[in-house]
Amino acid sequence: MSKTDHLDYDYLIIGSGFGGSVSALRLAEKGYRVCVLEQGRRWTPENLPSTNWKFWDYLWQPVLSFRGFLSLRLFRHVMILHGNAVGGGSITYAQTLLVPPTSVWAEGSWAGISDWHAEMPAHYERAKEMLGVTVNKRPAAADAKLKEMADAMGVGGSFYYTDVGVFFGKEGDDPGTEYPDPYFKGDGPARNSCIGCGGCMVGCRYNAKNTLDKNYLYLAEKRGVTVCAETKVIDVRPLNDCADGADGYVVSTVPTFSRWKPKVRHITAGKVIFSASSLGSQALLFSLRDSGSLPNISVSLGKRVRTNAESILGVRYPGSQEDMSKGVAIGSGIYIDQHTHVEAVRYADGSNLLSSLLTTLTAGRQGASRPLYWLLAFIRLLLTRPITAIRSVLPYRFSRETVIFLVMQALEGHLDMRWTRPWYWPFKKTLSTHGAPIPTFIPAANEFTRKAAAATGGVGMSSLSEIFFNVPMTAHCMGGCNMASSAEDGVIDAKHRVFNYRNLYVIDGSVIAANLGVNPSLTITALAERAMSFIPDKH
């Protein structure tokens, strides 16, 4: 009999994103009893929002009864977009799965603590196989437009179609054709080929996007893993007053959407894995350290949080008859210099809510003067192209007329997170950002957008948050529970074990110790595969 058999589970995983779902499947295969706790909802084609104008089913803000899967968090230094759902961010992400440059392993606190160049290729390959990575086979108008822009700017040679986790079916078959499981020798669900609707980030309604509930998590549940949706963790405490967690843990939960005196449930487990995303794991660990449940969490918690040095720009073509909404969410990309990576992003026709986050392209200096530069830019556009200017700021047809640019840089830069009481709500502590400001626009990307818009007859767009709040917007928050050689430099060791505790792990985007310069989902998956390789079979 195992020493944990008297407990409810061998492993309890907090969060069902890329780290949690990988861990759940691999642990189940090794014979462990596993439970996954997820505060978000379980989504199906029947309950997914048909458009992001149904913001109550698209945005995540439980206190306002918004029960969607996309959270927008505005901090002093940055606006962060992230997902909450069974399947984590895979429900709302653009399924772009890229390997970062090898230079990232020589940067940050994880440099030198493992032989990354020897280890990671095999884990990336396994992650690609599980996520069904393939080259985009539904190129569309937005991709052609990005290629046209790249050629005009002299960087056409860097253009590529993205590697994505989408099922495209057999060449020659009609889009939307149903196939028996094409990935796992019949062990997975039946799939339908992509129809190129552009709705990936509103939740795929056509069974083509390779979300985690169709691979890792699906297979984990078939192997007996328990997934508890709409369940929020409020405490993790060592059992039997054993300070280092050697005897296991008791995890306390409440229903996510309960309002009045929610019923607390207690679950015991031999080992606990935090996989609640960078923001989620940081917030929970800060709370547990502050409350005394896990007082010995490293003082490095919250340090060196990274955002891929991102900026969100775009070019709109008001009145255009070309439909920029078709294709996959991110279908192509280019490099405008050795550090700066630009991807073409789209939303499905009618999903125009995010038009409220973009406005007329604005250069100038970051800071208090930027709104003045914006006003001058808009007046100039209004005087020279009045009808175009008015159409460019209206939500109507936004997704059909706009190529959004996701700009990322693989350059060093970070923030720190702290656990403080905000001035506007001193009754409860929450995460807050500290440190030097992140640049609110990338000059090279701004200049590319200006010239590309001029060359193709469009109107350049900037992020409102950059102009009026002096903060950039990112969908890729990483770090905060960094991997390092000691507790002085990080929160976990090279095998994802939390310093100063036994049987406690962090496996998600919070462990990443460098700006990747590409979408991080594949790297998180590969790191989780690597972490699971260190866990022996139960028997």
Side-chain angles (χ1 to χ4, degrees), residues 303-466:
K303 302 288 181 64
R304 297 176 294 280
V305 176
R306 293 171 167 84
T307 64
N308 255 349
E310 286 184 15
S311 183
I312 295 180
L313 302 163
V315 177
R316 186 167 183 177
Y317 300 91
S320 171
Q321 296 308 303
E322 286 189 284
D323 189 350
M324 300 298 169
S325 71
K326 300 306 180 187
V328 298
I330 297 179
S332 56
I334 60 174
Y335 285 85
I336 59 176
D337 60 42
Q338 63 176 333
H339 300 297
T340 310
H341 176 210
V342 179
E343 294 176 339
V345 182
R346 76 216 72 191
Y347 279 84
D349 188 16
S351 291
N352 300 323
L353 179 64
L354 292 185
S355 64
S356 60
L357 299 180
L358 291 173
T359 187
T360 308
L361 182 69
T362 305
R365 300 172 183 172
Q366 66 184 57
S369 65
R370 195 98 187 276
L372 178 59
Y373 283 97
W374 166 81
L375 182 61
L376 294 173
F378 183 69
I379 290 174
R380 185 181 301 113
L381 181 63
L382 193 63
L383 292 175
T384 56
R385 302 164 67 185
I387 296 177
T388 296
I390 294 171
R391 283 179 169 178
S392 72
V393 295
L394 296 177
Y396 178 63
R397 288 174 57 88
F398 172 82
S399 57
R400 293 179 64 92
E401 299 175 347
T402 307
V403 182
I404 301 171
F405 295 155
L406 174 58
V407 183
M408 294 172 279
Q409 291 190 310
L411 296 174
E412 176 57 23
H414 61 264
L415 295 168
D416 289 340
M417 287 283 184
R418 297 180 186 171
W419 192 241
T420 60
R421 299 181 189 275
W423 61 267
Y424 56 84
W425 189 253
F427 310 104
K428 184 178 180 181
K429 289 185 176 181
T430 187
L431 290 175
S432 61
T433 57
H434 294 262
I438 299 175
T440 51
F441 71 103
I442 299 171
N446 242 59
E447 185 64 8
F448 169 81
T449 303
R450 184 186 69 80
K451 291 181 178 179
T456 58
V459 178
M461 311 291 286
S462 289
S463 298
L464 275 167
S465 66
E466 295 181 2

Side-chain angles (χ1 to χ4, degrees), residues 505-517:
Y505 302 81
V506 180
I507 305 175
D508 59 18
S510 68
V511 311
I512 293 175
N515 273 335
L516 301 180

Side-chain angles (χ1 to χ4, degrees), residues 34 48 76 106 179 185 225 328 334 359 368 381 420 458 461 494 513 537:
V34 182
L48 281 167
R76 177 185 172 193
Y179 299 79
K185 299 179 180 179
V225 171
V328 298
I334 60 174
T359 187
L381 181 63
T420 60
M461 311 291 286
D537 290 350

Side-chain angles (χ1 to χ4, degrees), residues 7 45 89 92 146 217 234 251 285 319 372 449 523:
L7 304 177
T92 188
L146 183 65
L217 202 58
I234 59 172
V251 178
L285 287 169
L372 178 59
T449 303
T523 295

Side-chain angles (χ1 to χ4, degrees), residues 4-277:
T4 61
D5 283 349
H6 67 287
L7 304 177
D8 296 323
Y9 296 98
D10 299 314
Y11 279 87
L12 193 146
I13 302 170
I14 303 170
S16 64
F18 292 94
S21 291
V22 173
S23 300
L25 174 59
R26 299 309 179 206
L27 290 169
E29 290 174 339
K30 292 173 184 284
Y32 293 101
R33 297 170 301 136
V34 182
C35 178
V36 178
L37 304 178
E38 170 57 57
Q39 67 173 345
R41 294 167 63 184
R42 189 184 288 269
W43 294 92
T44 67
E46 291 71 35
N47 68 357
L48 281 167
S50 56
T51 168
N52 57 20
W53 281 117
K54 294 184 176 181
F55 55 85
W56 55 91
D57 269 341
Y58 180 62
L59 298 178
W60 169 267
Q61 189 55 261
V63 71
L64 299 177
S65 295
F66 296 174
R67 303 186 180 193
F69 45 75
L70 178 66
S71 175
L72 280 70
R73 296 280 301 276
L74 178 61
F75 294 92
R76 177 185 172 193
H77 294 80
V78 64
M79 177 181 281
I80 297 174
L81 289 68
H82 66 102
N84 291 277
V86 173
S90 75
I91 302 301
T92 188
Y93 87 137
Q95 78 273 320
T96 308
L97 298 162
L98 304 176
V99 178
T102 56
S103 59
V104 301
W105 306 110
E107 300 169 2
S109 59
W110 61 12
I113 66 172
S114 191
D115 189 354
W116 298 109
H117 297 288
E119 293 179 25
M120 291 307 297
H123 297 304
Y124 274 115
E125 287 307 309
R126 194 174 197 192
K128 287 181 180 181
E129 181 181 355
M130 290 295 300
L131 296 174
V133 178
T134 186
V135 176
N136 173 24
K137 294 181 175 63
R138 292 283 184 273
D143 306 305
K145 192 66 73 174
L146 183 65
K147 180 64 165 67
E148 181 184 350
M149 296 172 183
D151 288 339
M153 299 301 104
V155 293
S158 71
F159 177 87
Y160 65 92
Y161 291 116
T162 47
D163 286 345
V164 292
V166 177
F167 179 61
F168 292 108
K170 296 178 182 178
E171 187 175 351
D173 285 356
D174 291 335
T177 299
E178 183 175 324
Y179 299 79
D181 168 41
Y183 295 113
F184 307 110
K185 299 179 180 179
D187 203 22
R191 307 301 302 278
N192 294 75
S193 58
C194 175
I195 65 171
C197 69
C200 315
M201 291 190 287
V202 189
C204 179
R205 303 167 61 84
Y206 302 101
N207 196 32
K209 180 178 174 182
N210 294 342
T211 49
L212 292 166
D213 56 336
K214 292 179 170 61
N215 41 67
Y216 282 105
L217 202 58
Y218 179 92
L219 298 174
E221 290 191 273
K222 285 191 70 173
R223 285 157 177 75
V225 171
T226 301
V227 177
C228 300
E230 300 180 34
T231 301
K232 183 178 180 179
V233 174
I234 59 172
D235 194 28
V236 179
R237 188 178 294 272
L239 280 169
N240 305 325
D241 295 322
C242 186
D244 66 353
D247 291 345
Y249 296 86
V250 56
V251 178
S252 302
T253 71
V254 295
T256 300
F257 301 110
S258 290
R259 290 187 175 275
W260 310 111
K261 293 184 178 179
K263 182 178 180 181
V264 179
R265 177 189 177 196
H266 302 289
I267 309 170
T268 57
K271 297 175 174 62
V272 173
I273 298 174
F274 290 83
S275 297
S277 81

